[in-house]
Amino acid sequence: MKSALFILTILCLNTTVFCQEKCEITEVYAQIFTITKETFRDREFLMKKVNPIDSSSCFSKLINENIRYIDYLRTHFTDNSKNEKLKAIKDSIKLQRTYIKHLKNDSVFNSVMQKLTKKTPNDKSFVADTISTDDLMNIAVKFFSIKGITQEGYYEGKVCVGINGIKLTEPIRQPHVEAFCFTTILNHLNSEEYNLYNEFVNGIKALYTLNLGIDANQRLLRAQGAMFMYMRNNEILKKALLATYRKKKDFLPFVLTLE
């Protein structure tokens, strides 16, 4: 009986180790990330998507509940220098395989994804970054962009994953803070509870109460700075971020020091 129990224990241990070895984020890249070639107005482009994955995966809850978050990381922290070579691949299966190979070899992207997946309640060895509410707001406001001035003199505003003030203002990037802020803003852009679109519009209206310059370029630069400050002091934006952080903090690889 003791011998049988010992063998059973060894089998269970081996099974556990096997499962842990399979629970590696790079091994499910092919399920999460897909690439296809699309054509619009005779112009060919690459369509990269983040997809929900099968519930049997140990990452299913993390990925499936945070598609926009993952897509932000993919958009901003992958190496796109090989896009032209990918476009030249005619076979769709080969295109997908090559794309996944590039992702697996992308050290920056893998580091970002590993940091996300290592944050689990049972992983006591994980050391999360700590940021303040001021740090959080500093990143969040950069997604409210004044991207131009029309010929009639009106400000053009945009909340966009690609067009934002991060690259031109942040010397050190914080991938997960950025992804969190962007997805929170997008999820609550038209929500009944926060409606951040209305807050953005109110900020643009406030810009017209100031003469920000005769030269269009200087006026645009000052308008963008004024918008950053307006949203920095916006209590609705702050409430949306803090409420979302409380809901998502178990998976987020950073700790917010709440004031």
Side-chain angles (χ1 to χ4, degrees):
M1 178 64 73
K2 288 184 179 179
S3 177
L5 181 60
F6 177 74
I7 293 173
L8 179 60
T9 302
I10 293 296
L11 287 174
C12 290
L13 178 61
N14 288 339
T15 301
T16 302
V17 171
F18 176 78
C19 289
Q20 287 177 342
E21 289 175 347
K22 290 295 183 181
C23 200
E24 170 61 44
I25 188 63
T26 57
E27 295 305 310
V28 290
Y29 273 4
Q31 296 179 46
I32 303 170
F33 305 104
T34 56
I35 185 171
T36 56
K37 286 198 289 187
E38 307 290 339
T39 302
F40 179 73
R41 294 179 179 176
D42 296 326
R43 183 184 176 188
E44 193 174 63
F45 64 95
L46 298 173
M47 176 67 75
K48 299 175 182 179
K49 292 181 61 179
V50 176
N51 308 282
I53 60 177
D54 189 88
S55 59
S56 62
S57 170
C58 49
F59 299 113
S60 61
K61 182 177 176 63
L62 174 65
I63 301 300
N64 297 348
E65 293 183 4
N66 299 284
I67 295 293
R68 280 179 172 167
Y69 187 108
I70 305 296
D71 195 44
Y72 183 93
L73 298 177
R74 181 206 61 78
T75 300
H76 289 277
F77 297 96
T78 54
D79 179 9
N80 293 315
S81 64
K82 297 180 176 63
N83 278 354
E84 291 305 315
K85 290 184 178 179
L86 289 172
K87 283 182 183 179
I89 299 175
K90 299 186 181 298
D91 183 76
S92 60
I93 295 176
K94 183 179 179 182
L95 175 63
Q96 173 68 13
R97 286 176 178 169
T98 306
Y99 175 55
I100 297 304
K101 182 180 179 181
H102 289 170
L103 288 181
K104 288 183 175 182
N105 291 332
D106 191 328
S107 59
V108 173
F109 182 65
N110 286 324
S111 175
V112 169
M113 290 298 292
Q114 290 286 355
K115 189 167 187 176
L116 178 65
T117 56
K118 284 180 180 178
K119 170 68 183 294
T120 63
N122 297 323
D123 188 356
K124 305 302 182 184
S125 64
F126 180 82
V127 179
D129 296 329
T130 300
I131 68 167
S132 67
T133 306
D134 281 343
D135 294 331
L136 189 70
M137 292 297 289
N138 171 60
I139 296 298
V141 301
K142 306 297 171 60
F143 292 103
F144 296 91
S145 298
I146 306 298
K147 70 183 191 71
I149 302 174
T150 68
Q151 291 183 345
E152 296 76 22
Y154 297 112
Y155 294 112
E156 295 180 285
K158 193 167 189 176
V159 176
C160 179
V161 65
I163 301 174
N164 58 65
I166 299 289
K167 286 185 179 180
L168 296 177
T169 60
E170 296 300 319
I172 300 175
R173 301 293 294 272
Q174 301 180 74
H176 293 287
V177 179
E178 292 177 26
F180 168 75
C181 288
F182 177 73
T183 53
T184 299
I185 291 166
L186 212 60
N187 289 339
H188 290 294
L189 203 58
N190 297 110
S191 71
E192 291 185 9
E193 188 173 7
Y194 299 109
N195 202 323
L196 296 176
Y197 176 78
N198 278 353
E199 300 304 312
F200 189 25
V201 170
N202 290 337
I204 294 175
K205 289 178 179 179
L207 295 177
Y208 294 116
T209 65
L210 297 170
N211 292 325
L212 294 174
I214 297 172
D215 178 81
N217 290 330
Q218 290 185 14
R219 181 187 173 197
L220 180 61
L221 188 61
R222 293 187 185 111
Q224 183 63 83
M227 176 56 70
F228 287 163
M229 187 56 67
Y230 180 89
M231 296 307 297
R232 168 64 186 81
N233 295 322
N234 190 284
E235 286 298 316
I236 301 298
L237 173 60
K238 185 176 180 179
K239 287 178 181 178
L241 291 167
L242 295 184
T244 304
Y245 172 78
R246 291 186 180 98
K247 290 178 182 178
K248 297 279 189 178
K249 64 181 181 179
D250 285 343
F251 96 85
L252 291 169
F254 63 86
V255 173
L256 180 64
T257 55
L258 299 173
E259 298 174 358

